[in-house]
Amino acid sequence: MAWDFSTDSQFQEKLDWVERFCQEKVEPLDYVFPHAVRWPDPVVKAYVRELQQEVKDQGLWAIFHDRELGGPGFGQLRLALLNEVIGRYSGAPSMFGAAAPDTGNMEILAAYGTEEQKKRWLEPLLNQDMFSAYSMTEPQGGSDPNLFRTRAERDGDEWVINGEKWFTSAGRVADLLFVMCTNGMFVVPRAAPGVEIMPEPRNHNHIVYQDVRVPLDHLLGPENGARVLAQRRLGGGRIHHAMRTIAQCKLAFDMMCERALSRESHGSLIAEHQMVQEKIAESYAAIKMLRLFVLETAWKIDQTSTLEARTDIAAVKFTMAKVLREVSYNALHILGSLGTTDLTPIQAMYASAPTMGIADGVDEVHKATVARRVLKGYRPHEGYWPTEYIPAKREEAWRRMRPVLDARPDLARAAEKYAGRQ
């Protein structure tokens, strides 16, 4: 078995270009025009389109999509390497046509949409002429579909949707809402009569659907197929979150190391203090382990599918939140009081760690999923003693060695002598 952790030179050139592009153009834009992609000002929009054209000229637009869907067809492993760069800059995913929640919605549109639905919604979403949100969780049921109540009833040539959704991220600024009902997944225009967006929360919106009418062809995929579509969408979303989380952890780590070499305390650089060294060492190891786990999982998806890699995707999901929490906490402490303010990204990272442990399914659910799936590969032992019970192992070893010992008296005597010493 051979292992190769190198990146081919041609793709490394792409990664280097992405790093330069993000540093020189995306990061300055983030600070001067936050959320520039959604700005209605035609001058700003034109400049954004210029930058996005540079991305397209590099063949890096919609990097999560296969070639037949307008993307470069990199696969998950190369996508992971790209997201390690892009995830460091808040505006970069949009610049590369790869921002959530649009990515997941485009994926299920591409997989389950009719040709007419793709023409009507997928193409505008790919071109960022439209934006979307995913309306799944509910106040009384969280993310448990068994407790959902939002339902669509057929009335002639329309569906009538009634229900209440909670934490629909970016719902307020979306053109389309992908609404998970108990009997299907529906595409609902945000401006449709009956869609009421509550004032709070402002970013992860609470939406009431009251007698919302949509045409029959706004059902995405089969009737009663919402769970299948949701799993397809969320599986990819979870691994993509993990890819970008690596970038955030690395950013926190860079800040912590820079600060350790810049700040003095008690007569020496804090980098010379063992407690600081411990935080740096543990953070370094945690990031390395997460990165290798994410890359291996991405490789498995490329070789099989998100369904086949479900156990690792779930494990990566709760691991990324844990590592982000630990690394950002260490960085916050090393930066000291400055780390508790909003003058660096650290406080926001640390505050986002619990959210990462809840978004796309709470960590506890994923841990239970991993445990159940892993345990399917094991069987209970017989009798009182575990398989590795030493007296039983020793007895079995003597039984298996008996033919050899019978044929080799000298070896048998040595074995008896050795046994007597134990």
Side-chain angles (χ1 to χ4, degrees), residues 10-27:
Q10 189 173 7
F11 192 69
Q12 185 60 54
E13 290 176 5
K14 290 289 187 188
L15 295 174
D16 294 340
W17 182 89
V18 171
E19 181 67 58
R20 290 193 303 272
F21 179 76
C22 288
Q23 287 180 353
E24 295 172 4
K25 298 185 178 181
V26 175
E27 187 174 46

Side-chain angles (χ1 to χ4, degrees), residues 88-107:
R88 191 178 179 109
Y89 308 91
S90 61
S94 295
M95 281 296 169
F96 287 79
D102 290 316
T103 49
N105 295 334
M106 284 189 276
E107 184 174 349

Side-chain angles (χ1 to χ4, degrees), residues 223-288:
E223 190 173 354
N224 298 315
R227 293 195 186 198
V228 174
L229 271 68
Q231 283 304 318
R232 170 67 181 261
R233 182 190 188 283
L234 294 171
R238 287 165 186 148
I239 187 69
H240 297 163
H241 272 315
M243 295 171 185
R244 290 188 288 269
T245 297
I246 295 169
Q248 289 295 297
C249 290
K250 184 62 166 58
L251 176 57
F253 184 76
D254 290 346
M255 293 174 64
M256 136 181 14
C257 292
E258 178 189 67
R259 187 66 167 175
L261 292 171
S262 305
R263 187 75 169 174
E264 289 190 7
S265 176
H266 299 288
S268 64
L269 289 173
I270 62 172
E272 297 173 11
H273 298 176
Q274 285 188 339
M275 291 186 69
V276 171
Q277 292 170 350
E278 178 185 47
K279 292 183 187 301
I280 290 172
E282 289 182 347
S283 298
Y284 177 83
I287 295 170
K288 283 289 185 181

Side-chain angles (χ1 to χ4, degrees), residues 14 38 99 105 207 210 220 227 240 251 280 290 341 348 357 375 378 402 408:
K14 290 289 187 188
R38 294 179 183 266
N105 295 334
I207 303 178
Q210 186 170 358
L220 182 58
R227 293 195 186 198
H240 297 163
L251 176 57
I280 290 172
L290 173 63
T341 72
L375 287 173
Y378 291 84
R402 181 52 57 190
R408 300 271 304 271

Side-chain angles (χ1 to χ4, degrees), residues 231 238 293 297 300 306-320 360-378:
Q231 283 304 318
R238 287 165 186 148
F293 195 5
T297 302
K300 283 185 178 180
T306 54
L307 183 62
E308 289 294 321
R310 182 182 172 189
T311 301
D312 285 337
I313 291 173
V316 157
K317 196 275 176 186
F318 66 74
T319 302
M320 70 173 178
D360 289 345
V362 296
D363 283 354
E364 291 80 359
V365 170
H366 290 294
K367 289 177 181 179
T369 296
V370 170
R372 286 196 301 266
R373 292 178 65 85
V374 167
L375 287 173
K376 288 179 181 179
Y378 291 84

Side-chain angles (χ1 to χ4, degrees), residues 114-243:
T114 64
E115 290 305 313
E116 198 280 330
Q117 287 174 331
K118 292 176 185 178
K119 185 74 175 175
R120 189 191 314 175
W121 297 316
L122 180 57
E123 291 183 17
L125 286 172
L126 272 171
N127 295 329
Q128 291 186 352
D129 295 322
M130 280 184 175
F131 296 95
S132 65
Y134 187 56
S135 209
M136 175 182 169
T137 58
E138 300 189 4
Q140 80 291 338
S143 59
D144 185 353
N146 295 316
L147 299 176
F148 288 176
R149 298 174 186 166
T150 302
R151 184 172 178 82
E153 297 290 345
R154 185 166 178 172
D155 182 19
D157 59 355
E158 292 181 314
W159 293 100
V160 182
I161 300 173
N162 281 283
E164 193 170 358
K165 292 293 184 178
W166 181 239
F167 275 73
T168 299
S169 301
R172 183 186 304 278
V173 293
D175 300 292
L176 302 173
L177 301 166
F178 286 66
V179 184
M180 185 176 178
C181 296
T182 56
N183 58 326
M185 189 79 71
F186 295 85
V187 181
V188 177
R190 194 249 305 160
V195 175
E196 184 179 3
I197 300 178
M198 301 293 103
E200 303 293 341
R202 293 192 59 80
N203 296 323
H204 305 286
N205 304 123
H206 179 188
I207 303 178
V208 175
Y209 298 90
Q210 186 170 358
D211 294 329
V212 177
R213 291 181 172 270
V214 295
L216 294 181
D217 63 0
H218 281 46
L219 170 65
L220 182 58
E223 190 173 354
N224 298 315
R227 293 195 186 198
V228 174
L229 271 68
Q231 283 304 318
R232 170 67 181 261
R233 182 190 188 283
L234 294 171
R238 287 165 186 148
I239 187 69
H240 297 163
H241 272 315
M243 295 171 185

